[in-house]
Amino acid sequence: MGKVSYKRHLAKTITWRLVGTLDTIILSWLITGNPFTGLKIGIAEMVTKMVLYYLHERAWLSVDVTNSQKRHLIKTVTWRGIGTLDTILLSWVITGNPLTGLKIGFAEVITKMILYYLHERAWYRINYGLDIRKRAKKWKRTS
């Protein structure tokens, strides 16, 4: 895959967290009926998920799956498992109700998998932080 900069993973972490947090806030609000509960869960997740997502991105550097669609699908599933568990636990702690935590966690499984897959596909097209793609693109323009 070539050299991947830490800046790329930080940028992916931030963009995904913005999308993911908005999704969690909306789902939590709809399920609990309370916008402030949605905000509390979303803000708590912002911290935990940024750390977990960054670690997930770094771990995937050592995974040898070259087919981009297969790679993105597997990354989607592994991340969703980690993310859903985090959401369930945080929602349970914040609401005090394990059933509410499960409802919020399971509701976001589908929305987040779709959003994450689209996020991965978008970032696959972005050269930011990929030295090898930048050099290849530059070489094509000069030849």
Side-chain angles (χ1 to χ4, degrees):
M1 178 172 236
K3 186 173 179 183
V4 180
S5 77
Y6 287 93
K7 289 179 184 178
R8 179 179 178 85
H9 290 153
L10 286 172
K12 282 181 73 174
T13 298
I14 292 166
T15 58
W16 171 246
R17 188 60 347 233
L18 291 172
V19 170
T21 297
L22 184 59
D23 183 58
T24 298
I25 290 169
I26 292 168
L27 288 174
S28 299
W29 176 4
L30 292 173
I31 290 169
T32 65
N34 186 333
F36 297 109
T37 300
L39 280 172
K40 285 180 196 174
I41 294 168
I43 290 168
E45 268 197 353
M46 196 175 301
V47 175
T48 59
K49 290 238 175 39
M50 284 185 83
V51 171
L52 292 170
Y53 184 85
Y54 180 81
L55 294 172
H56 184 258
E57 277 296 303
R58 298 306 297 172
W60 267 90
L61 277 178
S62 62
V63 176
D64 189 26
V65 179
T66 55
N67 178 302
S68 72
Q69 288 184 330
K70 182 178 179 181
R71 180 182 183 85
H72 298 151
L73 189 58
I74 295 168
K75 278 182 75 174
T76 299
V77 172
T78 59
W79 171 246
R80 185 58 356 237
I82 294 165
T84 297
L85 183 59
D86 184 56
T87 297
I88 290 169
L89 293 173
L90 286 173
S91 298
W92 177 359
V93 168
I94 289 169
T95 65
N97 186 333
L99 185 58
T100 300
L102 286 169
K103 285 179 184 178
I104 294 169
F106 288 123
E108 77 169 19
V109 167
I110 295 186
T111 58
K112 290 252 182 11
M113 285 183 80
I114 292 166
L115 291 169
Y116 184 83
Y117 181 81
L118 294 172
H119 182 262
E120 277 296 303
R121 295 302 297 164
W123 270 97
Y124 183 72
R125 292 177 173 87
I126 297 170
N127 290 326
Y128 179 75
L130 294 177
D131 293 339
I132 196 164
R133 281 195 197 163
K134 286 180 189 174
R135 285 193 302 262
K137 209 174 201 182
K138 187 177 181 181
W139 182 79
K140 283 182 183 178
R141 283 191 295 235
T142 59
S143 44

